């Protein structure tokens, strides 16, 4: 009879499997990866994997939910420590400096989430929720800046938040495909310059 493991150990194994899946998906891509590949990355048995997840898709969905929650919580805590709305936006933009290999891994998987969402309403729903969270937070910061006078009043906060995310996602899409990674930091700084100038000119 197999020894029983505690709930803490079960949760630790589950987290380990999700991190192993992230490594696997970022290296091989979601579509090319198999459950056997995830088993090899995790160094656990195939039976152990199926004890926690029914399929590769379920692993994929749980990974997306986990990363979404972690990113929102982490960013919310960090931004709460900054009083100035404009400084919050600058911090958010520069959070990607220096270039992070770990973030690149997740962004590659995230791009596959975007593609996969066309065939999976559940994944699409998770992505829309995540984007709504991030977009709403950006818009809220911009509106706070208008109230404090840091950001000009005639700016459309929704349009400005859309600009923020178009620039952010465009830069990271280039990084994921390996286009001019050496210039990533310079492009992030240019994004900051352009966005801040747009928000504050004659504020």
């Amino acid at each position: 009879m197999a020894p029983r493991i505690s709930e803490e150990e079960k949760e630790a194994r589950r987290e380990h499997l999700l991190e192993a899946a992230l490594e696997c998906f970022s290296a091989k891509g979601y579509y090319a990866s198999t459950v056997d590949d995830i088993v090899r990355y995790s160094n656990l048995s195939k039976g152990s994997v199926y004890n926690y997840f029914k399929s590769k898709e379920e692993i994929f969905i749980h990974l997306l939910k986990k990363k979404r929650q972690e990113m929102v919580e982490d960013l919310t805590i960090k931004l709460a420590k900054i009083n100035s709305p404009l400084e919050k936006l600058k911090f958010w933009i520069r959070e990607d400096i220096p270039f992070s290999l770990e973030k690149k891994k997740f962004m590659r998987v995230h791009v596959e989430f975007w593609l996969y969402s066309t065939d999976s309403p559940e994944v699409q729903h998770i992505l829309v929720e995540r984007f709504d969270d991030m977009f709403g937070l950006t818009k809220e910061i911009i509106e706070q800046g208008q109230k404090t006078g840091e950001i000009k009043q005639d700016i459309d906060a929704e349009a400005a938040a859309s600009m923020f995310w178009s620039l952010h996602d465009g830069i990271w899409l280039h990084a994921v495909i390996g286009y001019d990674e050496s210039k990533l930091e310079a492009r992030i700084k240019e994004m900051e310059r352009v966005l801040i100038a747009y928000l504050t000119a004659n504020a």
Side-chain angles (χ1 to χ4, degrees):
M1 184 175 179
R4 297 185 64 179
I5 61 175
S6 67
E7 289 303 316
E8 290 79 7
E9 289 173 311
K10 287 180 182 178
E11 184 60 25
R13 283 192 183 183
R14 187 175 178 279
E15 291 295 307
H16 174 67
L17 279 168
L18 289 174
E19 291 304 318
L22 176 59
E23 290 293 325
C24 182
F25 294 153
S26 67
K28 300 191 65 172
Y30 172 76
Y31 290 100
S33 297
T34 65
V35 172
D36 286 335
D37 291 325
I38 297 170
V39 168
R40 283 192 289 273
Y41 272 82
S42 69
N43 290 316
L44 295 173
S45 69
K46 195 168 186 176
S48 293
V49 174
Y50 283 117
N51 279 338
Y52 296 94
F53 303 103
K54 296 177 182 177
S55 64
K56 182 179 77 167
E57 181 182 45
E58 187 174 330
I59 295 171
F60 193 56
I61 290 170
H62 276 79
L63 179 61
L64 176 55
K65 288 179 177 178
K66 174 179 181 287
K67 290 299 180 182
R68 171 184 173 270
Q69 182 178 353
E70 288 176 352
M71 290 175 70
V72 172
E73 289 178 354
D74 181 63
L75 186 63
T76 302
I77 290 169
K78 289 177 178 176
L79 292 178
K81 297 176 182 178
I82 303 171
N83 292 323
S84 161
L86 207 56
E87 291 303 317
K88 287 183 180 185
L89 290 176
K90 290 179 182 179
F91 172 83
W92 198 340
I93 293 168
R94 287 184 173 245
E95 197 179 25
D96 292 326
I97 300 174
F99 179 75
S100 167
L101 181 59
E102 286 305 308
K103 180 159 185 180
K104 182 181 177 181
K105 288 178 184 178
F106 178 65
M107 287 302 294
R108 175 179 175 179
V109 177
H110 204 277
V111 169
E112 289 213 72
F113 285 147
W114 290 345
L115 297 175
Y116 188 72
S117 69
T118 60
D119 299 319
S120 172
E122 185 174 0
V123 170
Q124 188 174 58
H125 177 70
I126 296 167
L127 286 173
V128 169
E129 276 194 337
R130 177 190 179 276
F131 184 75
D132 284 347
D133 286 342
M134 295 290 96
F135 189 91
L137 181 55
T138 312
K139 182 180 175 183
E140 182 181 322
I141 292 171
I142 292 168
E143 289 172 339
Q144 288 172 354
Q146 290 176 309
K147 290 178 181 177
T148 63
E150 290 183 78
I151 294 174
K152 58 184 182 179
Q153 298 297 313
D154 62 347
I155 285 289
D156 183 323
E158 186 160 338
S162 181
M163 175 189 285
F164 178 100
W165 283 104
S166 295
L167 291 168
H168 178 279
D169 290 347
I171 287 171
W172 266 102
L173 182 59
H174 287 175
V176 168
I177 64 174
Y179 175 69
D180 261 345
E181 287 182 9
S182 62
K183 296 181 180 178
L184 180 64
E185 183 173 328
R187 288 185 173 140
I188 291 171
K189 289 179 179 178
E190 182 64 9
M191 171 187 167
E192 179 189 275
R193 187 193 68 78
V194 170
L195 188 67
I196 299 304
Y198 169 69
L199 294 173
T200 61
N202 300 316

